[in-house]
Amino acid sequence: MCGFAAMHGLYGADRSPSAAHMLSFKPILAGANLSDRMIAAVGALVGIALTAALCTAFLPHGPALLLVAPMGASAVLVFAVPASPLAQPWPVIGGNMLSALVGIAVARVIPQPALAAGVAIGAAIALMSLTRSLHPPGGAASLLAVLGGHAVQAQGWGFALVPVAANAVVLALTGVLFHRLSGHSYPHRPVPAAGHAPPVLGVPHPEDIDRALEDLGETFDVSRDDLDLLFRTVAAHASRRG
């Protein structure tokens, strides 16, 4: 009911229930607009093309590919949601590299592919969480290390460095340069917009945000600092309106 009521209020009373129900399947990214999505598309194009070109030109050629598939998923995060904690440079680099190392290790001790794949993903999530490098494409990197066949196995431990870590470093650096040109904060830091310094009073304390997150028991793809800035900025606009 709450979801339908929200959709009803958002799209207007003239929408039929079936129309509102269909609209509820539309993906939503808070703050995103068409211009941002087009900039993200250009960024991903540049990021992947540059990563492939540089790694092909400068890395030693071996039996493995010089551009790995997980970089495609990493590019989506880096260029489409650069404010996400999952898209920051350390998760991009560390999450992919550490997960690849996990996959290599698991493949060496568990010969059964299905079991090895499951163990590799679970261990990769645990290691990324412990090292604050949680990055969804890391799961693909660990699977690639387990199921990549002879080309990956021939690389041994070096596969985690070349091409995985090398790809990730080039992609992250490309993201830093691209977002500086496009006006986004990357590596992301929550900074108030010019002329919109939020007030300190009348908004939740950061500890209140921590407790609210604990009460909800969910994981959100946004940092506590960004939530704090969002609440303060909302309070600033509310005070001006009032």
Side-chain angles (χ1 to χ4, degrees):
M1 284 296 293
C2 292
F4 175 76
M7 296 302 300
H8 184 75
L10 181 60
Y11 293 103
D14 58 332
R15 297 283 190 180
S16 67
S18 59
H21 180 70
M22 291 301 295
L23 286 169
S24 68
F25 285 94
K26 293 179 65 176
I28 297 173
L29 283 176
N33 55 45
L34 181 59
S35 175
D36 287 333
R37 297 286 70 79
M38 294 303 99
I39 291 173
V42 173
L45 185 158
V46 172
I48 290 296
L50 189 59
T51 300
L54 291 178
C55 290
T56 300
F58 295 107
L59 293 180
H61 289 262
L65 296 174
L66 291 179
L67 180 67
V68 291
M71 293 305 114
S74 294
V76 174
L77 289 170
V78 169
F79 295 101
V81 283
S84 169
L86 306 177
Q88 302 312 298
W90 167 239
V92 172
I93 298 168
N96 278 305
M97 181 183 67
L98 293 175
S99 296
L101 287 171
V102 167
I104 295 166
V106 170
R108 290 180 173 227
V109 298
I110 302 178
Q112 210 285 329
L115 178 59
V119 172
I121 291 294
I125 291 174
L127 183 58
M128 287 189 289
S129 298
L130 291 172
T131 57
R132 296 181 180 272
S133 62
L134 191 64
H135 186 63
S142 65
L143 274 184
L144 183 59
V146 170
L147 305 175
H150 176 73
V152 172
Q153 294 171 7
Q155 289 285 95
W157 295 104
F159 174 73
L161 298 177
V162 178
V164 174
N167 285 178
V169 168
V170 175
L171 186 67
L173 290 176
T174 304
V176 172
L177 294 175
F178 183 85
H179 285 304
R180 285 187 179 180
L181 294 175
S182 66
H184 290 98
S185 170
Y186 186 83
H188 179 68
R189 298 289 183 274
V191 179
H196 292 84
V200 175
L201 299 178
V203 295
H205 189 277
E207 290 184 0
D208 299 328
I209 298 175
D210 287 336
R211 291 175 181 173
L213 291 171
E214 290 176 2
D215 289 344
L216 291 173
E218 298 287 351
T219 300
F220 299 95
D221 191 11
V222 61
S223 71
R224 194 278 301 271
D225 291 338
D226 278 318
L227 287 174
D228 185 36
L229 177 60
L230 176 63
F231 291 143
R232 292 173 184 274
T233 305
V234 169
H237 284 288
S239 65
R240 293 188 187 101
R241 189 182 66 252

